[in-house]
Amino acid sequence: MHVRRSAEEIAANRQRYEEHQKKGLEFTPKALPTPSPLPAPAIEPTAIIHRETIPGGWYWSTRLNRGEALRIEQQDGASTVALIAWNANDTSERLNLVDTVKVQWTTALGKGRVIFSDMGRVMFSMIEDSCGAHDCLMGGSTAASNAAKYRGAKTRNTRDNFILAAGKIGLDRRDIPGVLNLFAPVRIDDDGGFHWQGKMSNSGDYAEMRAEMDMLICLSTCPHPLDPNPVYAPAPVSVTRFRAAVPAADDLARTATAEAVRGFENNAIMQA
């Protein structure tokens, strides 16, 4: 249904847009740090809520509350981990990688970056990351892509894993958002093609993501569509859910860009 807006409302919206634009142009983004050190430091035992190993090719889902974090760690060889998420209190709000890339002006996600929802709010802050090799463009594997790549082999794929995981929390395939592939060293070369840069991700790499709202999340450990290994042999992955430290006022993820600042302002409105 078309809604006619008054001249006053249009003018107010225009003024608000121009104010945001001005703030963005005046804001000097903070430089991001070097990758987190290896090996991954131990998590304080009293902070750990749950720890689990996800078998290669399988899936896992959990609720992650605001202020908690998830460490995802490669322990038995390089393995891509696909991630999707929804607002636990309103699953119509979900992970949005298009906005994540667009408002931060980069496809390179790493420590100090944030992951946005489709409502302009911050879902995750990346508080640790040892590799910076994450793919937010390609999506996950499907039955068709696996059949073409692993001819004659019996395999699992990311799309079907997420359909199963979504069904167990009352959602269906229409609710599945775009997929964030962690530990997937995909880069766009000068020819405009997607290429796998395997040396960017190694066994032992880890990422820690702090929840900035209550969420339902799903992970899948199937190989990335561009993974050059001709054999279907995904490695298990360790996940640890823990209580994160309370972020300081100058927390990098919250202050690195004008867009992140605005995203957290939107979070504050939601949580008020």
Side-chain angles (χ1 to χ4, degrees), residues 80 97 101 107 134-142 145 158 178-181 184-188 192-196 224-227:
T80 292
L97 297 174
V101 169
T107 61
H134 312 301
D135 165 41
C136 51
L137 299 176
M138 285 290 297
S141 61
T142 64
S145 69
T158 298
V179 173
L180 171 60
N181 289 301
V186 175
R187 290 294 181 265
I188 302 175
F194 294 97
H195 296 272
W196 188 265
H224 188 277
L226 291 185
D227 187 331

Side-chain angles (χ1 to χ4, degrees), residues 177-249:
V179 173
L180 171 60
N181 289 301
L182 300 170
F183 316 120
V186 175
R187 290 294 181 265
I188 302 175
D189 287 352
D190 292 340
D191 61 7
F194 294 97
H195 296 272
W196 188 265
Q197 305 289 337
K199 292 182 179 179
M200 296 178 63
S201 181
N202 302 283
S203 180
D205 274 331
Y206 66 102
E208 292 181 4
M209 306 178 71
R210 183 178 63 218
E212 304 296 353
M213 64 172 69
D214 295 344
M215 288 183 288
L216 301 174
I217 69 167
C218 297
L219 305 179
S220 173
T221 57
C222 295
H224 188 277
L226 291 185
D227 187 331
N229 188 348
V231 178
Y232 183 84
V237 172
S238 170
V239 292
T240 305
R241 179 183 171 194
F242 65 98
R243 284 176 285 273
V246 176

Side-chain angles (χ1 to χ4, degrees), residues 25-71:
L25 292 172
E26 292 175 346
F27 193 103
T28 302
K30 293 183 179 179
L32 297 186
T34 56
S36 302
L38 288 170
I43 298 172
E44 176 62 41
T46 58
I48 295 174
I49 300 169
H50 180 74
R51 177 169 279 160
E52 185 159 337
T53 297
I54 309 173
W58 206 251
Y59 66 89
W60 179 75
S61 61
T62 191
R63 181 184 174 105
L64 194 66
N65 295 321
R66 183 163 67 101
E68 297 175 353
L70 196 69
R71 174 184 285 184

Side-chain angles (χ1 to χ4, degrees), residues 44-104:
E44 176 62 41
T46 58
I48 295 174
I49 300 169
H50 180 74
R51 177 169 279 160
E52 185 159 337
T53 297
I54 309 173
W58 206 251
Y59 66 89
W60 179 75
S61 61
T62 191
R63 181 184 174 105
L64 194 66
N65 295 321
R66 183 163 67 101
E68 297 175 353
L70 196 69
R71 174 184 285 184
I72 306 170
E73 187 173 3
Q74 303 182 109
Q75 291 186 327
D76 297 295
S79 180
T80 292
V81 180
L83 179 149
I84 55 177
W86 301 267
N87 181 337
N89 301 309
D90 178 3
T91 54
S92 67
E93 181 175 13
R94 59 198 66 174
L95 186 78
N96 189 307
L97 297 174
V98 173
D99 285 353
T100 295
V101 169
K102 179 175 65 178
V103 303
Q104 294 180 108

